Amino acid sequence: MNLRKTIVAVSIAATLGFGISGIAFADNTTSTINGVLSVSGAKANEYTATAHDPKTGLTRNIEVGADGNFRFAKLPFGTYEVTISKGDTVVARDTITVSLGVNANAKFDVQATQGMEVLSVVGARVNSVDLTNADSGLTINKDSIDLMPVARDFASIALLAPGTVSGDSKFGNTASFGGSSVAENSCYINGLEVTNTSQGLGCGSVPFEFYKEFQVKTGGYSAKFGRTTGGVMNAVTKSGTNEWEFGATAHWRPASLASEGKVSRGSGGVGTIFRDTRNDEYDLKEYTVSAGGPIIKDKLFVYALINPRDVQDDFSTYTGRLAYNPVSQFIKRSSDGSDNLFWGAKVDWNITDNHSLSLFAYSNRSDTTSDTYRYDAEGQEVGDYLGTTILKRGGDAKSITYNGAITEDLSITAMYGEIKTNYTNVPGNLDCPTVSDTRDVPDSEIITSCGPGGSYGENVDKNKQTRIDIEYVLGDHLLKAGYDKQKRDTMHTSAPITGHSWTYSTIAADGSIQGNDGPIYMNDTGADLDIVQDRIFAGGGSFSSDLTAYYVEDNWQITDTLMLQIGARKDKFENSGVTGLVFSSFDTDIAPRLGFTWDILGDGASKLFGTYGRYYLPVPNNTNYRAASGISDSTTYYTFTGHDSTGAPTGLTPINGSNSTVVNSVPNPTIQEAFQSEEAEPFAKDEYILGYQQQLTDTTTASVKGIYRKVVSALDDYCGDLASQATCTLLNPGETATWQLDNDFDSVPDPGSRRTYTAEEIGLPKAKNTYKAIETEVQYNNDDMHLTFTYTWSKSEGNFEGAVKSDIGQADPGITQDFDFPALMDGAYGYQANDRRHVFKLFGTYDLTDDLSIGFNSVLSSGRPLSAFGQGYPSNDPHLYGSYGDTFYLYTGQCPDTNGDGTCEQDEKIYNQVTRGTVGRTPWNFRVDLSANYKFNISDVDMVASVKVYNVLDIQEVVSQDEHYEGYRAEGTKNQYYGAAYDWQTPRYVEFSISARF
């Protein structure tokens, strides 16, 4: 057997997440080597097994059991020399690599003879089918990523895995797992959760040069993972070794080499420019300097990195309403020097060979200067300066982790960590309000603000985390138990600049303005009427959530070919408002996590596997902000005669006297008796996976699996006339619910208001959301070429998406407009926003020579479904329809006088229903990315130069478009921008990098 080829094959198998039969599962920060010794002519327990990492000096010795089994638990990731000895004589040796999410297996066959020589065992463990794991996903190391054209962020890594698709561009660069919304994922670095705790959108991150390996879990994950109904993104960073190594990198993405963007127009493509990316430019220069090595040889190690970044990001944008306002401003953002400097370090202390302590810390704080100018899209001209906003982003993280192999059978991991993240905007222009003009008027008559507009206030998240994980081997059982606690604190305050936010719109003849108790106004003038509304959304404070979980799990190796995973997890979620009182509390049912792997043929080259799991999602801190932080949200409607120099209206007259204001939230914090129904269960999904994997040849492995996901309990806020009018009521749609009222807004339950309501009385349909998929995958790995091809057929349908609402860009996890009123759910069942029926992925690398390699990454995906949202509803019954929300009904403008009273009544209006996802799909998206990497040496310094070209063919198909058919809160008035593109595939761009190690 070719030794080099064997080592390469093993490394690739580890890289892609495949291991060998055994009963152990890897965790977030360590891994395990399982060994089997077969001896002819002697007893196995006469031998000793040793694992040694020559890079750190870590050495473990274990007596082999009478059955020939041995196990090295809680090993730091790396390459180990495993030897079998009898007395002072080494009789067998193997080299084993353990990676993130992947355990390794060493098998030795020894013939006891006199004068025994050392046997170098290679190939016995080389197998591309991992019988220890039933979960689904991808593991890949940083070196492999460096060779491929993959963007340097968590989401882009996740999108390599089957079953993931790009989220809507309105939420940034995000990923949807298995049909879930993009706000249902979780992210970890060195075991520390770094997920955005307020909204679940995005994760904390470190420079790519700091990472060592990545793991993407798309489903079937064990009981130790929770608080996610989407996927898990897990990463570990580099550590120091016994040899000092220094590194430096430079990375450049020049704006001058990027292709020009696109433009979209209203009125079916011939009207006013809606979105314009032709002058968008992004220029990035970043550098890293790193050092790693021993402070005390074999005992204490450090790895540290600094990363100065210089970013210039210029783009056109709109002000006001996403769906109704064209580009009118141009923003130039810059951050460099000490305002954008990352630092990070990891210190590892091998207290003994069986006990270690790791300290991890980083700071990715940045202050970005955002200058806003007027923009003439037709002339592509940047105009007058309007103001500057400082964007405070990033923060600090730190953790300490203990790993201990207490005995050969008992091991413990304990971690404490903290992360603080800032999302605060500090505007410089406080004299100019937000102004949005949604009317269909000539460009010269559009009313604009004298400044960037927006809001001001503080927005900071903190997350303190503690977890303990215990493993114990009992015969054929690997028993696990753990405790996991998080305290998520948020300080979030907000107020509109100048205290007002103005939106100009047009109400069609016979169109109405809906209030909480029916229409507050109907346009009976016989003509279109221009109005203005003033939304005042202000308040906030400090609030928190406490999350606690316990889990147990048994990985039972019933036979050499059959393994069962039997686990259970229990979570508790508590949310508190500015008063410190709990307003939402859930003690979940026991969530089962079951799985199996079966080596059907018994040769280690195939497996049948399956999993079942229930996953719960906590109430995010964004709900605390909206419901329990003292937010006041009111909108007043006026007629007007003009506007002043700031864009604010003049000549205001309330549209209907004292009945011109709609109040959707009062500043008194909510209480649990009124906000949470007594029967409410937290958001939860069930997932079923059944698959088969087969090693076809030494170089090729194929797999197929079926996936079914279903929401078993949806949790959302109901705001209809039966709900507590202070802040709505949290319930499970379509179920019986009991709650009290706080309709006098004093944060005390109204006496005698407790009542149980049937599902029929509430009027909401039962929440439905399912995901069905078939995933196929083929992997090919030899000395020179490494390929992964996947095809996923999937169907995602239901009457709501999940935590957020992609089709209208609403990032309010858990309290989107879904289920606020029965009218909003009439016609809501259909294909969901993340439904991309066909997705093909092909990525890999090819070594042209020992020094020159190329990489590629390509995706072909079908489009997502489109809807046509209206602003009215056939009935004005306040039990069905409230004061806001996008409906699936379009007013035709026809109102026959069927009762002969000479006026237009609501029940005389004629509407057309357009159900979800029935007006076509966005185009198919195809993208090919290429890279080239060249290794060379200068004065004993190892160098690598790389060039990566993204979207080589410069295909810029639409990825998201305006689905609002009617004007903003103006039924019967067509939105001129309906159908226009929000965004396209990113134009072709180029990245250069060079790295040095010595």
Side-chain angles (χ1 to χ4, degrees):
M1 180 178 289
N2 183 293
L3 178 59
R4 178 178 180 274
K5 181 176 180 179
T6 299
I7 294 174
V8 169
V10 172
S11 300
I12 294 299
T15 295
L16 296 176
F18 298 120
I20 308 299
S21 177
I23 65 170
F25 286 71
D27 59 28
N28 283 1
T29 58
T30 61
S31 196
T32 297
I33 296 176
N34 299 296
V36 178
L37 172 63
S38 298
V39 183
S40 299
K43 296 180 180 179
N45 58 5
E46 297 176 1
Y47 295 82
T48 300
T50 301
H52 173 69
D53 183 354
K55 289 188 175 182
T56 64
L58 177 65
T59 302
R60 296 251 188 102
N61 296 298
I62 293 178
E63 299 295 325
V64 178
D67 58 359
N69 292 324
F70 58 92
R71 177 175 179 268
F72 297 103
K74 299 295 179 183
L75 290 175
F77 305 130
T79 300
Y80 292 81
E81 184 181 81
V82 178
T83 58
I84 302 296
S85 304
K86 186 172 185 180
D88 295 330
T89 303
V90 176
V91 300
R93 177 181 287 112
D94 199 359
T95 301
I96 306 290
T97 297
V98 292
S99 302
L100 175 62
V102 181
N103 295 312
N105 191 0
K107 294 183 178 180
F108 298 92
D109 293 312
V110 174
Q111 179 71 43
T113 61
Q114 294 286 336
M116 201 177 291
E117 295 183 356
V118 176
L119 304 177
S120 179
V121 179
V122 295
R125 72 183 189 288
V126 178
N127 198 305
S128 295
V129 175
D130 179 10
L131 299 174
T132 70
N133 282 320
D135 61 1
S136 302
L138 166 80
T139 297
I140 192 165
N141 62 37
K142 185 260 180 186
D143 291 337
S144 298
I145 292 294
D146 282 344
L147 297 177
M148 294 192 299
V150 178
R152 299 154 64 85
D153 56 74
F154 257 144
S156 297
I157 300 296
L159 290 172
L160 294 174
T164 59
V165 298
S166 295
D168 193 278
S169 60
K170 292 186 283 291
F171 299 131
N173 184 25
T174 55
S176 166
F177 288 72
S180 298
S181 79
V182 297
E184 300 173 37
N185 307 321
S186 59
C187 314
Y188 297 84
I189 302 178
N190 290 338
L192 179 73
E193 184 169 2
V194 295
T195 317
N196 175 326
T197 55
S198 282
Q199 295 179 301
L201 294 170
C203 312
S205 63
V206 304
F208 256 46
E209 285 70 27
F210 202 177
Y211 289 117
K212 181 177 182 179
E213 292 183 343
F214 303 89
Q215 182 186 39
V216 180
K217 289 180 175 288
T218 59
Y221 28 91
S222 77
K224 75 182 301 178
F225 290 100
R227 307 189 185 107
T228 174
T229 49
V232 177
M233 291 169 277
N234 189 19
V236 292
T237 63
K238 296 176 181 176
S239 298
T241 66
N242 271 330
E243 185 174 333
W244 279 101
E245 182 176 273
F246 302 90
T249 68
H251 181 77
W252 181 33
R253 176 179 166 178
S256 60
L257 294 183
S259 296
E260 186 177 280
K262 305 272 283 185
V263 64
S264 65
R265 293 179 178 271
S267 303
V270 297
T272 300
I273 291 177
F274 182 54
R275 295 292 183 265
D276 182 8
T277 62
R278 293 172 298 179
N279 296 296
D280 292 5
E281 292 187 350
Y282 184 86
D283 194 284
L284 167 68
K285 301 181 184 71
E286 65 174 329
Y287 314 91
T288 66
V289 177
S290 61
I295 299 175
I296 302 175
K297 188 177 181 181
D298 292 344
K299 284 291 183 182
L300 190 61
F301 310 91
V302 65
Y303 182 89
L305 179 145
I306 59 171
N307 171 217
R309 298 164 289 191
D310 183 349
V311 180
Q312 183 69 42
D313 187 11
D314 302 343
F315 57 94
S316 65
T317 188
Y318 68 96
T319 178
R321 303 288 175 183
L322 170 73
Y324 304 104
N325 289 109
V327 291
S328 60
Q329 296 181 348
F330 199 85
I331 292 179
K332 297 182 178 182
R333 289 180 178 170
S334 61
S335 58
D336 55 24
S338 60
D339 289 337
N340 198 359
L341 177 66
F342 172 95
W343 65 261
K346 188 168 185 282
V347 177
D348 297 286
W349 178 24
N350 292 339
I351 305 171
T352 69
D353 286 337
N354 294 318
H355 303 272
S356 66
L357 203 63
S358 295
L359 301 176
F360 168 60
Y362 72 81
S363 172
N364 63 354
R365 287 184 288 179
S366 68
D367 288 348
T368 298
T369 300
S370 182
D371 296 327
T372 303
Y373 302 82
R374 294 197 188 279
Y375 180 61
D376 175 11
E378 292 292 350
Q380 300 188 60
E381 294 180 356
V382 177
D384 297 336
Y385 167 76
L386 297 176
T388 296
T389 301
I390 303 299
L391 311 179
K392 295 182 175 292
R393 296 293 184 266
D396 305 309
K398 54 189 175 184
S399 67
I400 180 169
T401 303
Y402 163 77
N403 284 299
I406 309 302
T407 68
E408 292 184 6
D409 298 322
L410 176 65
S411 59
I412 296 177
T413 295
M415 188 275 291
Y416 174 80
E418 299 179 5
I419 181 171
K420 177 180 178 181
T421 310
N422 203 336
Y423 306 97
T424 302
N425 294 341
V426 184
N429 184 338
L430 298 177
D431 300 321
C432 300
T434 297
V435 175
S436 170
D437 193 343
T438 69
R439 301 172 300 160
D440 189 358
V441 297
D443 292 353
S444 60
E445 297 180 18
I446 294 177
I447 302 172
T448 59
S449 175
C450 61
S455 60
Y456 62 92
E458 186 176 2
N459 189 359
V460 179
D461 285 342
K462 298 179 182 178
N463 188 356
K464 297 180 179 180
Q465 309 171 35
T466 304
R467 72 173 299 139
I468 299 174
D469 299 281
I470 302 172
E471 294 184 3
Y472 183 71
V473 176
L474 181 63
D476 294 326
H477 299 265
L478 173 59
L479 305 176
K480 295 183 178 184
Y483 166 81
D484 176 8
K485 181 177 178 60
Q486 293 188 12
K487 175 71 179 300
R488 299 178 171 183
D489 297 317
T490 297
M491 167 58 79
H492 191 178
T493 60
S494 179
I497 291 174
T498 75
H500 301 277
S501 179
W502 303 101
T503 300
Y504 297 88
S505 59
T506 300
I507 301 180
D510 298 324
S512 62
I513 299 173
Q514 190 76 6
N516 292 324
D517 299 315
I520 64 172
Y521 175 78
M522 180 175 286
N523 179 14
D524 57 6
T525 66
D528 290 349
L529 177 66
D530 287 350
I531 65 167
V532 65
Q533 53 191 274
D534 179 21
R535 185 183 185 189
I536 302 176
F537 184 96
S542 179
F543 40 85
S544 65
S545 58
D546 287 278
L547 313 178
T548 306
Y550 305 86
Y551 76 90
V552 293
E553 190 171 279
D554 178 12
N555 297 320
W556 179 17
Q557 194 73 46
I558 299 177
T559 69
D560 289 342
T561 60
L562 179 62
M563 186 275 297
L564 291 184
Q565 176 185 313
I566 305 169
R569 179 184 176 96
K570 188 172 180 59
D571 284 271
K572 186 174 183 179
F573 310 138
E574 282 191 350
N575 293 64
S576 304
V578 291
T579 62
L581 299 178
V582 172
F583 73 91
S584 173
S585 178
F586 294 98
D587 199 349
T588 73
D589 294 335
I590 293 176
R593 303 289 177 85
L594 308 175
F596 76 91
T597 64
W598 178 27
D599 181 1
I600 299 176
L601 303 178
D603 59 0
S606 65
K607 71 173 180 181
L608 179 70
F609 62 96
T611 61
Y612 161 69
R614 174 162 292 183
Y615 310 119
Y616 285 99
L617 191 70
V619 175
N621 277 21
N622 177 71
T623 300
N624 303 44
Y625 170 62
R626 294 297 300 268
S629 69
I631 288 290
S632 173
D633 184 8
S634 65
T635 301
T636 304
Y637 295 84
Y638 303 90
T639 59
F640 65 100
T641 59
H643 64 89
D644 62 21
S645 60
T646 70
T650 57
L652 293 175
T653 302
I655 199 162
N656 192 21
S658 61
N659 190 29
S660 300
T661 298
V662 177
V663 177
N664 288 315
S665 180
V666 296
N668 301 72
T670 192
I671 53 176
Q672 184 171 357
E673 295 89 341
F675 182 69
Q676 179 184 327
S677 65
E678 296 174 14
E679 298 85 353
E681 296 289 340
F683 187 94
K685 279 186 179 180
D686 279 355
E687 178 192 65
Y688 303 83
I689 296 176
L690 181 65
Y692 180 76
Q693 185 179 2
Q694 175 72 53
Q695 182 174 345
L696 303 176
T697 68
D698 288 344
T699 59
T700 307
T701 302
S703 66
V704 60
K705 64 185 173 203
I707 301 137
Y708 178 72
R709 283 185 168 193
K710 178 183 179 180
V711 170
V712 292
S713 64
L715 183 70
D716 217 313
D717 62 329
Y718 162 65
C719 303
D721 62 337
L722 300 179
S724 176
Q725 297 303 299
T727 52
C728 307
T729 299
L730 208 59
L731 49 70
N732 301 129
E735 304 288 345
T736 296
T738 304
W739 66 84
Q740 301 183 53
L741 303 177
D742 179 22
N743 288 351
D744 57 3
F745 310 139
D746 61 356
S747 298
V748 176
D750 297 343
S753 65
R754 182 181 181 274
R755 182 186 162 191
T756 298
Y757 303 87
T758 66
E760 290 73 21
E761 287 179 293
I762 299 169
L764 292 174
K766 189 174 180 62
K768 296 179 181 179
N769 181 293
T770 60
Y771 174 80
K772 306 178 186 74
I774 297 175
E775 294 178 4
T776 58
E777 182 173 13
V778 178
Q779 294 186 341
Y780 175 82
N781 295 295
N782 67 13
D783 290 354
D784 302 320
M785 180 178 289
H786 314 295
L787 295 175
T788 297
F789 169 80
T790 65
Y791 165 67
T792 301
W793 175 93
S794 64
K795 183 163 66 172
S796 179
E797 55 189 339
N799 57 8
F800 80 113
E801 178 183 350
V804 295
K805 192 168 173 58
S806 298
D807 43 21
I808 66 170
Q810 188 179 10
D812 280 325
I815 52 171
T816 65
Q817 70 169 33
D818 289 336
F819 302 106
D820 284 7
F821 311 108
L824 304 184
M825 307 309 295
D826 186 355
Y829 190 90
Y831 297 129
Q832 292 297 315
N834 295 314
D835 178 59
R836 295 185 180 272
R837 195 61 47 86
H838 307 280
V839 179
F840 303 82
K841 300 179 183 181
L842 176 66
F843 60 88
T845 61
Y846 178 63
D847 298 332
L848 297 172
T849 69
D850 288 343
D851 298 321
L852 179 62
S853 67
I854 59 173
F856 47 90
N857 181 22
S858 59
V859 178
L860 173 64
S861 62
S862 57
R864 47 162 285 190
L866 296 170
S867 299
F869 293 110
Q871 297 293 296
Y873 191 66
S875 172
N876 58 15
D877 182 352
H879 181 66
L880 299 177
Y881 190 29
S883 61
Y884 60 87
D886 302 304
T887 70
F888 296 93
Y889 284 86
L890 307 179
Y891 178 41
T892 64
Q894 302 175 48
C895 187
D897 186 11
T898 57
N899 61 12
D901 65 356
T903 62
C904 174
E905 305 292 342
Q906 182 65 31
D907 59 4
E908 295 175 323
K909 292 181 182 180
I910 298 176
Y911 292 82
N912 288 331
Q913 186 183 46
V914 183
T915 56
R916 179 191 299 277
T918 57
V919 289
R921 288 179 176 257
T922 58
W924 282 65
N925 290 171
F926 179 54
R927 191 194 74 239
V928 177
D929 308 326
L930 297 175
S931 63
N933 312 275
Y934 181 67
K935 295 184 289 186
F936 57 100
N937 186 282
I938 299 178
S939 300
D940 293 328
V941 176
D942 293 327
M943 309 282 290
V944 179
S946 301
V947 59
K948 299 180 179 181
V949 184
Y950 296 87
N951 195 1
V952 172
L953 302 178
D954 198 26
I955 297 173
Q956 298 183 46
E957 289 288 0
V958 173
V959 296
S960 180
Q961 63 191 65
D962 194 333
E963 299 179 58
H964 286 80
Y965 188 89
E966 291 186 329
Y968 181 66
R969 296 191 180 178
E971 66 169 6
T973 301
K974 184 177 180 180
N975 173 21
Q976 63 173 313
Y977 302 112
Y978 170 72
Y982 284 127
D983 206 358
W984 302 263
Q985 293 176 254
T986 303
R988 179 175 55 230
Y989 66 95
V990 182
E991 291 179 341
F992 301 97
S993 63
I994 188 166
S995 64
R997 292 181 182 177
F998 53 94

